[in-house]
Amino acid sequence: MGMSAKLRCTVTEVRESGAGNYFVELRPQTRVPRFRAGQFLHLTLDEYDPAGGFWPESRVFSIASKPGAETLTIVYSVKGRYTKRMEGSLVPGLEVWVKLPFGDFVIDSRAGACEDVVLIAGGTGVSPFIPFLEDLVPGESATRRIRLYYGLRRPEYLLFGGLLARASGCGAIDLRIWIEDGMLSGDALPPLASVRAGRLDPSLALEESRDLAEPIFFISGPPAMIARFKSALLGTGIEGRRIQIDEWE
Ligand SMILES: Cc1cc2nc3c(=O)[nH]c(=O)nc-3n(C[C@H](O)[C@H](O)[C@H](O)COP(=O)(O)OP(=O)(O)OC[C@H]3O[C@@H](n4cnc5c(N)ncnc54)[C@H](O)[C@@H]3O)c2cc1C
């Protein structure tokens, strides 16, 4: 990984997607350092002095936009004190500081180009997978299979529905959605996706992965979800290398 950089950004868009879930688009005022699909950034609402000041309190968010894009996109859900503050103050026109890139939850470096992958996302945990999915080309499924399990609390929390519909509709990914409360129907339902009621179920995901060739599992979401999946996978004797996590504190 290269050096990280601190960038002043202008908030260009804030969009609510289901109560307490927000897309935020940031336009950096200086060049964005090279990053890879799956990495995250730190965002602070406080002033930062680039002439040697301390980095203020910040939180980390997966980068949901593609490397090379002009803007940076994150999605956050209001959880605790800091994200509550974000909800109250992040509006278009506001200037914020970010630093990036961080992390190594990079599918292309943790799985071989021909290895099957099972991506498991809880809520906004789908974000780090988005830049990877955006880059898929329809023929890719000929060399490897990509399965995405995506767990939502309610249907209106579906994020990146347009992109998921395209990736699923052309067969680039095998999309399996789980919804705890309610159902997706009509236009909101991505083509060829399967939708089930309830919570993401590690034993079922494992059982279903038997039709794949020793897939690498990538797990992203709230800590409790990650813990559940990790222990279920380890419990079946899957080697550690095949379980990759992007743990959220
Ligand atoms: C790799 C990674 C990627 C993530 N990506 C996303 C994402 O894309 N979208 C999303 O919604 N969330 C993401 N998160 C979670 C996010 O960073 C916040 O931790 C989460 O939203 C908790 O909410 P909060 O900050 O409002 O809670 P708070 O109650 O404000 O804080 C939660 C935790 O932050 C830590 N903390 C407390 N005070 C400080 C401080 N002064 N300085 C630094 N840390 C402190 C503590 O561990 C505390 O338990 C990600 C987390 C990780 C680790």
Side-chain angles (χ1 to χ4, degrees):
M1 185 178 37
M3 286 276 288
S4 69
K6 300 180 178 73
L7 317 174
R8 197 175 174 84
C9 299
T10 308
V11 177
T12 46
E13 192 183 342
V14 179
R15 198 154 32 89
E16 191 166 16
S17 167
N21 249 351
Y22 295 91
F23 277 88
V24 180
E25 193 186 74
L26 306 167
R27 182 170 297 276
Q29 297 175 3
T30 48
R31 204 182 62 79
V32 178
R34 195 185 289 267
F35 68 91
R36 301 188 69 190
Q39 291 193 291
F40 61 85
L41 54 74
H42 279 258
L43 180 142
T44 182
L45 298 168
D46 295 317
E47 238 344 283
Y48 166 70
D49 174 8
F54 283 107
W55 179 252
E57 178 176 358
S58 61
R59 290 294 185 274
V60 304
F61 300 96
S62 306
I63 305 170
S65 45
K66 271 174 43 160
E70 276 180 17
T71 52
L72 293 166
T73 305
I74 59 162
V75 180
Y76 76 92
S77 55
V78 177
K79 289 266 160 68
R81 183 178 57 78
Y82 206 83
T83 44
K84 186 123 216 97
R85 204 181 139 203
M86 285 167 67
E87 183 178 39
S89 58
L90 270 184
V91 290
L94 185 79
E95 299 200 327
V96 295
W97 282 91
V98 299
K99 60 176 181 179
L100 74 153
F102 295 95
D104 57 358
F105 191 65
V106 175
I107 295 171
D108 286 336
S109 64
R110 294 189 180 192
C114 296
E115 275 185 305
D116 289 347
V117 294
V118 178
L119 314 179
I120 300 161
T124 52
V126 75
S127 286
F129 299 138
I130 295 302
F132 169 78
L133 298 176
E134 269 194 289
D135 263 350
L136 292 179
V137 286
E140 185 138 354
S141 50
T143 51
R144 63 138 49 132
R145 312 245 318 261
I146 298 164
R147 183 166 296 159
L148 171 63
Y149 286 97
Y150 181 14
L152 313 169
R153 268 190 291 131
R154 301 182 51 80
E156 59 269 31
Y157 285 109
L158 181 80
L159 298 165
F160 305 99
L163 165 69
L164 294 176
R166 282 194 302 281
S168 167
C170 74
I173 62 167
D174 168 0
L175 178 58
R176 304 187 180 190
I177 298 173
W178 290 72
I179 305 181
E180 284 180 46
D181 184 9
M183 255 301 143
L184 278 172
S185 55
D187 286 350
L189 184 64
L192 304 181
S194 74
V195 185
R196 296 176 175 108
R199 273 197 154 185
L200 280 174
D201 177 352
S203 39
L204 203 78
L206 253 168
E207 178 70 34
E208 292 182 351
S209 76
R210 297 226 170 108
D211 65 347
L212 302 176
E214 300 216 323
I216 313 279
F217 292 85
F218 289 81
I219 313 168
S220 165
M225 184 205 104
I226 292 180
R228 253 177 98 218
F229 270 88
K230 198 173 164 187
S231 68
L233 294 178
L234 286 172
T236 62
I238 289 185
E239 53 179 322
R241 182 190 84 88
R242 290 179 49 208
I243 307 169
Q244 301 289 337
I245 62 172
D246 193 19
E247 198 147 12
W248 290 20
E249 281 130 9

